[in-house]
Amino acid sequence: MLLERTGLDRRGFLVAGAAAMTAAATGASGAAKPFFAGKGLPIGIQLYTLGPDAARDLDGTLAAVAAAGYKTVELAGFYGKTPAQFRAALDKVGLKATSVHVQSRAMGPDGGLDGDLGKLADSVLAVGATQAVMPSPRIPERLGLRPASGEDIAGWLRRVLTAMNADDWKENARFLNEKAAVLKKAGIRLGYHNHNFEFAPQGSTTGIEILIKETDPALVTFEADVGWIAAAGVDPAAFIRKHKGRVTMMHVKDLKASTKPNFELRMDPTEIGSGEIDWKTLLPAAYAAGVRHFYVEQEAPFERPRIKAAKISYDFLAKV
C-alpha cells in the first residue's frame, strides 16, 4: 500500500497511525467487505438452475435473474434461440454471458465438440462468451449412448458413468486437449465440469485426477462443481488448493447434511448458505487458488420456485 501526502504534521501523523492500529487491533474499524464486493467479482448463475423456466419464457426468466442481482450467466444451451437472439435478450436486461456449456456429442441444433468447431466458436463468441465447458465426459460407445429398454435416463447415466475405466478417462483427456487446441485459436478456452462420479477410485487414482494430469494446462481448465465434490465425500477447498492454477471456474452449489457420500449422481440439494458447505473458508481458498468465475447452480428437486431459490442464494453470497 502506498502512503499519500495528507498535510498532517509529524505529531498528527503519529496520532492518526496509532488510532488506526488500535482500531485494527480491537476490530473497531468495522466489518470486512463481503467477498464478492471486496474482490470486485460479479456473482453469476448457471441457467441450468432455471432450465424449465427459461425454456418457457427466456426473456422473462433473464429479467428475473437480473432483478435478483446477478450480473453474469453461464449458458446450458440456447433454448431454441440463435446466438444473436440470445445475446440481444441478455443485453436487454444488462446481463453478460461469460461461459457456455457444450456437450461432447452434438445434441440438437446447438452442436457439440465433435462437430464443426469453427461454427461452435462463432456461436460462443456471438453470445458474448470466451469460455466453453464440457459439462460431463464423453461416454464410450461400448457402454451405450442411450438408455436401454426399460431404463430411464437417470438410471442409464448412473450405469454408464460409474462403468467408465481409467482408459476412458485418458481418452477424455485426449479429446479435451484436441478440441481445446482448436478453440484456443479462436479465442475460446475450453474447460471441464465435474460431477461426483469422477472421484470414484480407478486403481490408485480417480477419473478427475487422470483428467487433470493428462490435459495440457495451457489448453484445458476446470470448473469445480463444489456441491458434487462434497457429495463425493471430498473437501472442496482441499481439492481446489491441491490443483491451484488448474481450476479457474466454480459452480457454487450447496447440499444438505443428509447427503451421503457417493459416486452415483446423488445429492440432497439446497440453496447456498442453507447447507453444509463452509463458504467463508471455501470462497477465499478458491480465489487464492485462481478461481475467477463463480456461478450459482442448484440441482432439482426444489422446495420453492426456482427463481426464489436463486434469489436466496444470491442474497447470501452478496453478504458472506
Side-chain angles (χ1 to χ4, degrees):
M1 180 181 294
L2 297 176
L3 292 175
E4 298 178 345
R5 296 182 183 274
T6 63
L8 290 174
D9 59 18
R10 174 178 171 78
R11 181 176 181 277
F13 175 78
L14 292 174
V15 171
M21 287 187 288
T22 300
T26 62
S29 58
K33 281 187 177 182
F35 172 79
F36 285 97
K39 299 300 184 185
L41 293 173
I43 301 173
I45 187 169
Q46 163 55 256
L47 291 180
Y48 169 84
T49 304
L50 302 159
D53 302 337
R56 285 190 296 267
D57 178 10
L58 180 63
D59 289 340
T61 299
L62 293 179
V65 166
Y70 292 98
K71 301 299 182 185
T72 60
V73 299
E74 181 177 55
L75 277 59
F78 291 93
Y79 300 103
K81 306 292 185 181
T82 67
Q85 289 171 333
F86 210 115
R87 175 67 179 270
L90 291 168
D91 289 345
K92 184 178 179 180
V93 295
L95 290 172
K96 178 178 175 57
T98 49
S99 178
V100 179
H101 273 199
V102 180
Q103 299 293 332
S104 64
R105 286 186 170 87
M107 298 175 64
D110 291 346
L113 289 168
D114 60 349
D116 185 337
L117 291 182
K119 182 178 180 181
L120 174 63
D122 288 343
S123 296
V124 173
L125 293 172
V127 83
T130 57
Q131 297 183 112
V133 178
M134 193 167 91
S136 55
R138 187 171 173 83
I139 297 171
E141 291 187 15
R142 74 172 195 284
L143 297 178
L145 300 182
R146 58 186 58 83
S149 177
E151 186 177 39
D152 62 17
I153 292 178
W156 166 67
L157 284 172
R158 291 190 180 101
R159 175 176 62 80
V160 299
L161 293 172
T162 55
M164 291 180 63
N165 60 37
D167 286 338
D168 295 328
W169 290 113
K170 290 179 181 179
E171 174 58 23
N172 267 266
R174 184 204 63 76
F175 181 84
L176 285 163
N177 283 332
E178 176 187 303
K179 305 306 177 182
V182 177
L183 290 173
K184 183 177 181 179
K185 295 176 181 177
I188 296 169
R189 191 170 192 191
L190 182 61
Y192 180 85
H193 162 272
N194 69 272
H195 290 79
N196 61 346
F197 49 80
E198 291 94 343
F199 292 83
Q202 298 289 340
S204 61
T205 186
T206 64
I208 193 67
E209 295 295 337
I210 292 172
L211 287 178
I212 292 173
K213 179 181 178 182
E214 298 288 333
T215 50
D216 185 344
L219 296 174
V220 179
T221 188
F222 287 83
E223 181 173 62
D225 188 312
V226 296
W228 282 121
I229 293 174
V234 175
D235 177 2
F239 173 80
I240 294 173
R241 287 191 192 102
K242 177 181 178 181
H243 299 293
K244 182 177 182 179
R246 294 304 309 273
V247 180
T248 59
M249 297 175 280
M250 176 191 286
H251 272 187
V252 183
K253 181 179 293 179
D254 218 334
L255 71 172
K256 296 177 182 178
S258 55
T259 301
K260 297 180 180 179
N262 71 94
F263 308 121
E264 300 177 348
L265 283 175
R266 301 181 191 277
M267 73 156 59
D268 296 328
T270 188
E271 294 81 14
I272 310 303
S274 301
E276 288 295 290
I277 292 182
D278 178 5
W279 297 103
K280 290 183 179 180
T281 298
L282 177 54
L283 291 173
Y287 186 87
V291 177
R292 292 297 182 269
H293 298 276
F294 297 81
Y295 305 102
V296 168
E297 186 183 50
Q298 187 170 336
E299 301 287 340
F302 286 77
E303 297 178 349
R304 52 186 53 81
R306 290 174 182 242
I307 190 61
K308 289 187 177 180
K311 176 62 173 172
I312 290 171
S313 292
Y314 178 88
D315 289 345
F316 174 84
L317 289 171
K319 297 176 182 177
V320 69

